[in-house]
Amino acid sequence: MQPPPPRKLLLARWFARTGTSSVLLRAQRALRSPYVRVVNYHDVPGRLADAFEQQLELFARHFQPMGFDELQAFVAGRFTPSRPGLVLSFDDGLKSHAEVVAPRLERFGFPGWFAVPAGFPDMEVDDDDVFRRDHHVDYDAGEFADGPLLSWDDVRKLDAGHVVCCHSFGHRRLSKDLSESERAHEVGEAKARLEAKLGHPVRAFVWVGGEEWSYSASAARAIREAGFELAFMTNHGVVRPGDDPMQLQRTNIEAESPMDLVRLCLSGFFDAMYRAKRRRVRELTAA
């Protein structure tokens, strides 16, 4: 996994040392409540389990866990959490989500939102370097004897106590360059595959990537037409009542992120930096 850029780490350290992160977090609660912060992770290998638990301890002190029904009701204005809400999502259908993440989430009372590329559980990874390069996925190679990806049994076990979301079919960015048949495969066929394996509707979609070019109006229409009820993007922003449920924003944090950086990400500092990008993406993907 790529470490955070040194400049971002220095900024986070300065904000922590001066108390600015805490001030911003208090201001966010005063000015933006009620709100929900959606955080996304990728791989959480065993070597980072202790660091991940430390983050969960912070989350449990300051946020209220949110499952699917709570988040949907919150966006619709039918539910207000007693504290800021928190959704913890995990991208890419990785084995560590079942082995490392889920037990710790359950210990702290958080439902996980697991974004699974529908084609991954059927794949065998013969060469980690090739797989990571071809599918734009990062993970610790060799940690699990049966490979780095969730099996269908793993997905069904996660589904029993958490939320399984569709993360395309093959972890492909849904840019405007995809053909109609490619979009259908990555959205509609991915949804159908997950639903056939789980035996119930899959109600949430998670866009792949966060680059501006990875969003497109055509893919947004496909996601809506497929019948998804919630869709998540990654452009740093909180969720508030009345937001478009198909344009919910996430904030990236990784298990290896130092606590100073975690606090800065939660404070809303990066939300302001991404405001213009969020507006452009929102206009591009609006119904």
Side-chain angles (χ1 to χ4, degrees):
M1 290 175 287
Q2 295 295 321
R7 186 176 301 178
K8 183 178 285 190
L9 293 177
L10 288 172
L11 182 68
R13 195 172 300 128
W14 182 86
F15 269 63
R17 186 177 299 119
T18 60
T20 307
S21 290
S22 297
V23 170
L24 289 176
L25 184 57
R26 289 195 296 270
Q28 180 178 226
R29 290 182 175 178
L31 298 174
R32 307 224 64 194
S33 290
Y35 70 88
V36 173
R37 173 75 62 182
V38 184
V39 171
N40 77 293
Y41 287 84
H42 294 90
D43 190 26
V44 184
R47 63 182 175 84
L48 294 175
D50 290 345
F52 180 59
E53 286 196 24
Q54 188 179 5
Q55 294 173 6
L56 291 176
E57 289 171 356
L58 174 68
F59 299 153
R61 287 198 303 271
H62 296 285
F63 294 92
Q64 180 170 329
M66 301 287 283
F68 187 97
D69 291 341
E70 290 89 351
L71 181 62
Q72 190 175 52
F74 174 80
V75 173
R78 301 192 305 268
F79 170 71
T80 302
S82 58
R83 296 185 292 170
L86 185 68
V87 168
L88 296 176
S89 63
F90 300 84
D91 291 2
D92 303 348
L94 299 171
K95 180 68 84 171
S96 67
H97 299 164
E99 299 295 331
V100 179
V101 171
R104 288 165 175 81
L105 291 179
E106 291 159 11
R107 190 183 312 155
F108 283 88
F110 283 99
W113 295 60
F114 295 98
V116 180
F120 277 17
D122 293 313
M123 294 184 182
E124 293 186 6
V125 179
D126 297 321
D127 187 315
D128 289 297
D129 291 336
V130 172
F131 184 86
R132 286 185 292 204
R133 182 196 66 210
D134 290 349
H135 294 279
H136 305 285
V137 176
D138 199 8
Y139 55 83
D140 273 19
E143 181 171 11
F144 303 104
D146 49 353
L149 304 178
L150 294 172
S151 67
W152 283 118
D153 282 343
D154 292 328
V155 177
R156 282 187 281 266
K157 288 176 183 177
L158 291 173
D159 182 60
H162 301 275
V163 182
V164 171
C165 311
C166 182
H167 197 38
S168 81
F169 198 95
H171 199 248
R172 194 166 183 185
R173 283 155 169 77
L174 303 180
S175 73
K176 62 182 178 58
D177 297 326
L178 293 188
S179 67
E180 184 175 350
S181 63
E182 288 171 325
R183 281 194 302 275
H185 180 65
E186 297 296 334
V187 178
E189 292 177 29
K191 187 175 193 288
R193 172 68 66 86
L194 286 170
E195 291 177 343
K197 293 292 187 178
L198 297 178
H200 64 77
V202 173
R203 303 162 67 189
F205 186 89
V206 178
W207 289 76
V208 178
E211 310 91 348
E212 194 164 342
W213 61 264
S214 69
Y215 301 100
S216 65
S218 54
R221 285 194 299 272
I223 293 166
R224 293 175 189 272
E225 291 169 0
F228 289 104
E229 299 171 39
L230 302 176
F232 295 91
M233 301 170 171
T234 310
N235 300 295
H236 283 284
V238 296
V239 177
R240 305 195 71 234
D243 282 355
D244 185 340
M246 306 306 289
Q247 297 181 323
L248 305 179
Q249 298 298 341
R250 304 189 300 168
T251 298
N252 177 246
I253 293 174
E254 301 294 352
E256 64 183 346
S257 299
M259 293 302 294
D260 289 346
L261 180 56
V262 173
R263 292 186 178 92
L264 181 59
C265 288
L266 297 175
S267 74
F269 174 78
F270 293 114
D271 299 2
M273 295 180 62
Y274 278 71
R275 182 180 293 114
K277 182 192 174 190
R278 283 198 308 276
R279 184 185 67 250
R280 294 191 299 269
V281 171
R282 182 172 62 247
E283 292 171 353
L284 175 66
T285 60

